[in-house]
Amino acid sequence: MAIIRSVIRGVGGYLPKKVLTNDDLAKKVDTSDSWIRERTGIRRRHIAADGELTSDLGTAAGKMALVRSGIDPSDIDLVICATSTPDQTFPATAVRIQTRLGIQRGAAAFDLQAVCTGFVYALSTADYFMKSGPYKRALVVGAETFSRIIDWEDRTTCVLFGDGAGAVVLEAQPQHGVIQDRGILASRLAADGRYHDSLYVDGGPSSTQTVGHLRMNGREVFRHAVTKIASVIEETLVDAGLAPDEIDWFVPHQANKRILEGTARKIGLPLEKIVVTVEDHANTSAASIPLALNTAHEDGRIKEGDLVLMEAMGGGFTWGAVLARW
Ligand code: UT7
């Protein structure tokens, strides 16, 4: 039976030029390269230049994804930007990206805020818009400037995050309704607001009228991460009717190498199937999955027909997974 699937036509990524190494950070706070590498796998992060905004990062990644997709920007009718660090409280960063890239006037464009799970939420949302609405081609961006909300004196958080952006272009295509189809095959989203205070920003327009700083109980996040992620992956695989050993590439949210490897072990995936980029850009929140997709596409690992599993967990808590055939 013919059905519509959201097929990934192009991917792009962008990291700001300025690099901050672990040794650079050890000069500012009481930390060390060995502590950061052993606990997280992170070696360096990129920091946006003064005046370089989330929309600039998102536009660069979006442009690359559009060029590679071969789709004309004027044919894009949906733009979703996943971000927790928008240029301004409003309007949405997505509308700036829309205009900068020459995307169709009158396309739908909005931001989506699910912190580190933002890209998974945005991909799933775009998929449902295309399957159940009139939308045919979408640009889905994850773009963040977390350096602007980090407390640079707090060693428990400042070593973990960085800036960056990634993007994919999706196209609604008729497929056969079988697991061999290209495109998004299944997705699951979840949230549990009881954990609000485990990872949050202590400011906002309605509460303090300030931007605020990121606060995290890292141990608490870690404690929940592997179990929540593994169970949402299992549900997504059951929805699609696929087994873990059919996955070609596991492209998780890049927060901490120990979480990625723990998750892969729990679901029974060999470590060689994990795409790991956290060492090069730290946790870039909503940007981390498309950045990792971009790396694995550029180096030839992800090829057409490969089954790709994406997952994330973050503030909220929110978590989710998307399964797609490239
Ligand atoms: O996208 C979701 C976002 N969040 C995450 O994924 C974070 C999840 N959590 C984690 O990745 C880990 O919990 C961390 C990497 C944040 C911390 O690792 P941990 O093994 O849970 O360490 P810990 O918090 O238990 O701290 C161990 C020690 C503490 O010292 P004491 O109390 O044992 O004396 C910390 O004060 O390490 C100390 N510490 C540091 N030492 C050097 C904390 N941060 C640092 C640091 N450098 N940057």
Side-chain angles (χ1 to χ4, degrees):
M1 188 188 64
I3 63 162
I4 294 295
R5 300 265 195 208
S6 310
V7 175
I8 298 174
R9 289 279 311 264
V11 58
Y14 174 80
L15 290 165
K17 279 200 187 68
K18 185 180 169 190
V19 171
L20 196 64
T21 64
N22 293 347
D23 286 333
D24 294 334
L25 274 171
K27 290 177 197 141
K28 297 178 184 206
V29 289
D30 182 13
T31 191
S32 64
D33 176 51
S34 60
W35 190 96
I36 301 170
R37 274 194 290 113
E38 276 160 28
R39 302 283 172 135
T40 69
I42 297 165
R43 290 172 184 272
R44 62 187 78 84
R45 66 286 295 137
H46 293 249
I47 305 293
D50 288 346
E52 192 177 28
L53 307 185
T54 295
S55 60
D56 297 319
L57 276 52
T59 299
K63 188 173 184 178
M64 188 185 281
L66 275 167
V67 168
R68 287 177 176 167
S69 74
I71 290 174
D72 196 278
S74 64
D75 289 330
I76 298 286
D77 51 18
L78 174 65
V79 183
I80 307 180
C81 178
T83 186
S84 302
T85 44
D87 292 4
Q88 289 159 297
T89 303
F90 76 80
T93 302
V95 300
R96 193 165 258 173
I97 294 173
Q98 173 199 15
T99 307
R100 298 262 308 270
L101 290 176
I103 286 168
Q104 191 183 113
R105 290 179 203 165
F110 59 90
D111 287 0
L112 191 154
Q113 209 273 67
V115 206
C116 296
T117 322
F119 188 75
V120 166
Y121 265 67
L123 211 49
S124 176
T125 301
D127 181 42
Y128 285 118
F129 265 61
M130 299 212 295
K131 283 201 294 220
S132 54
Y135 302 94
K136 299 279 178 257
R137 290 168 204 93
L139 176 69
V140 179
V141 180
E144 304 278 16
T145 47
F146 261 50
S147 63
R148 309 260 155 81
I149 56 164
I150 290 299
D151 176 352
W152 287 102
E153 290 176 3
D154 175 9
R155 70 171 183 171
T156 68
T157 53
C158 76
V159 303
L160 302 174
F161 295 91
D163 300 337
V168 296
V169 173
L170 298 174
E171 184 173 50
Q173 290 185 1
Q175 299 274 321
H176 305 289
V178 295
I179 53 164
Q180 291 80 15
D181 284 354
R182 289 187 70 197
I184 295 176
L185 302 175
S187 66
R188 283 265 184 151
L189 306 176
D192 188 342
R194 287 177 302 163
Y195 299 102
H196 176 282
D197 294 346
S198 298
L199 176 48
Y200 68 104
V201 168
D202 63 5
S206 174
S207 54
T208 59
Q209 298 82 56
T210 62
V211 171
H213 288 115
L214 182 150
R215 307 291 173 207
M216 176 168 71
N217 180 342
R219 229 178 269 185
E220 177 78 354
V221 179
F222 202 109
R223 203 164 66 76
H224 286 276
V226 174
T227 40
K228 285 196 162 36
I229 295 165
S231 67
V232 83
I233 288 173
E234 275 161 26
E235 290 161 10
T236 310
L237 285 167
V238 168
D239 288 349
L242 286 160
D245 62 5
E246 292 174 90
I247 294 163
D248 294 299
W249 297 109
F250 177 43
V251 187
H253 167 49
Q254 309 283 320
N256 180 321
K257 205 171 175 182
R258 287 190 292 154
I259 299 178
L260 318 188
E261 293 181 350
T263 307
R265 277 194 200 97
K266 194 160 168 100
I267 57 172
L269 274 181
L271 300 186
E272 312 82 74
K273 287 192 173 183
I274 320 177
V275 176
V276 185
T277 55
V278 66
E279 61 260 36
D280 292 326
H281 55 65
N283 182 345
T284 56
S285 188
S288 88
I289 292 176
L291 275 169
L293 286 175
N294 185 50
T295 298
H297 170 72
E298 281 183 348
D299 67 22
R301 271 180 287 178
I302 299 183
K303 294 180 291 299
E304 192 172 317
D306 283 354
L307 189 62
V308 178
L309 173 68
M310 297 163 259
E311 57 80 0
M313 181 193 154
F317 292 148
T318 53
W319 65 101
V322 175
L323 193 60
R325 194 174 298 283
W326 202 262

